[in-house]
Amino acid sequence: MNSKSRTRLTIALAGSAVDPFHLGHLALLAALMSMDFDIIYWVVSGARKGKIPRVGPDDRVTMTLLAIPKKWLLSLCPRLKIVFIDAYGRNTPTITWLRRLHRWYPAAEVTLVTGADSVCGGPDDLKYWDAGAQIYEKWKVLVFPRVHFAGVRKLRKILKNRPNFSVVDTVLPDVASREICTRIGLGKKRWTHLVPRPVALFIKRNHLYGNR
């Protein structure tokens, strides 16, 4: 159903630490922009237990703004809304963002967007999330697999009786922030193809992630 034939507002909630912002993030946003969501919230996450950002919030905010096509942000009524408030403090739990969006848009359908590796084991994979069981049971979730993710068939089987879950056919590039940072820190040259060009230049210019 397209936006012209429905009346209910649809909202997607996605995000990342963007540490750094890479081509996987850009591909995910491009896929969401091609879908029928009325509003897409992208939350740049903050510090959370066991995952402290490698660089400061200003750097991650700048990389995000450099990477995202300006046409997505500068229209009179942009569908894409970038949220930076979490980047400057502790991370807001996903369930809090879901409830917040439901409160702001009580008549809307809110969908959480996540990677396949977050749910490939079913509800057990969400046990470390705040109110993870509630997310698994009650909220609509859109799952994106990555290239070379071997468990797509298994994932579809696990989630086949979960009408609130959908696994998309779009496959994201197999890119991970940890791999990029490791390559940079070891002085390897082959990492710039994994991030948007403006981000690569920013990392080099500011000597981020051990780049010299």
Side-chain angles (χ1 to χ4, degrees):
M1 183 180 294
N2 61 41
S3 58
K4 293 181 180 179
S5 59
R6 60 173 166 75
T7 57
R8 193 179 187 190
L9 195 71
T10 56
I11 299 172
L13 171 65
S16 168
V18 292
D19 191 22
F21 193 108
H22 56 62
L23 293 181
H25 299 133
L26 192 60
L28 173 57
L29 280 171
L32 292 175
M33 290 294 289
S34 73
M35 294 178 177
D36 204 26
F37 290 108
D38 294 300
I39 305 173
I40 300 161
Y41 276 88
W42 179 266
V43 180
V44 178
S45 60
R48 45 189 160 160
K49 188 176 180 180
K51 195 167 185 180
I52 305 299
R54 302 172 185 88
V55 299
D58 287 345
D59 291 325
R60 294 187 293 122
V61 167
T62 300
M63 286 189 283
T64 301
L65 293 175
L66 287 172
I68 293 176
K70 299 301 178 284
K71 63 182 179 181
W72 292 355
L73 300 172
L74 299 180
S75 64
L76 291 176
C77 187
R79 295 169 57 215
L80 179 61
K81 299 183 182 298
I82 311 297
V83 182
F84 294 121
I85 189 170
D86 277 17
Y88 288 90
R90 291 188 60 81
N91 195 57
T92 301
T94 299
I95 187 65
T96 302
W97 270 110
L98 289 168
R99 290 168 177 165
R100 185 177 291 167
L101 291 174
H102 180 65
R103 188 169 68 250
W104 291 348
Y105 308 93
E109 179 180 76
V110 180
T111 299
L112 172 65
V113 178
T114 188
D117 49 349
S118 296
V119 293
C120 60
D124 285 345
D125 283 356
L126 296 178
K127 65 184 178 183
Y128 297 111
W129 296 29
D130 284 7
Q134 185 184 132
I135 294 173
Y136 189 80
E137 293 290 336
K138 297 183 178 181
W139 290 90
K140 190 170 182 179
V141 181
L142 191 63
V143 183
F144 279 80
R146 290 194 294 185
V147 173
H148 307 312
F149 177 75
V152 174
R153 238 179 237 182
K154 176 185 174 184
L155 181 62
R156 292 185 189 277
K157 186 176 180 180
I158 291 172
L159 299 176
K160 69 178 181 180
N161 295 320
R162 307 299 316 173
N164 55 319
F165 275 76
S166 299
V167 182
V168 301
D169 293 326
T170 302
V171 178
L172 302 179
D174 190 13
V175 184
S177 294
R178 181 180 299 176
E179 177 192 359
I180 295 169
C181 293
T182 299
R183 290 189 183 200
I184 296 172
L186 292 175
K188 295 184 177 181
K189 294 181 179 180
R190 287 187 54 78
W191 61 269
T192 56
H193 64 293
L194 301 174
V195 301
R197 187 170 183 273
V199 172
L201 293 173
F202 181 79
I203 290 171
K204 289 180 177 181
R205 186 164 56 245
N206 292 279
H207 308 293
L208 303 181
Y209 307 109
N211 181 259
R212 293 289 181 268

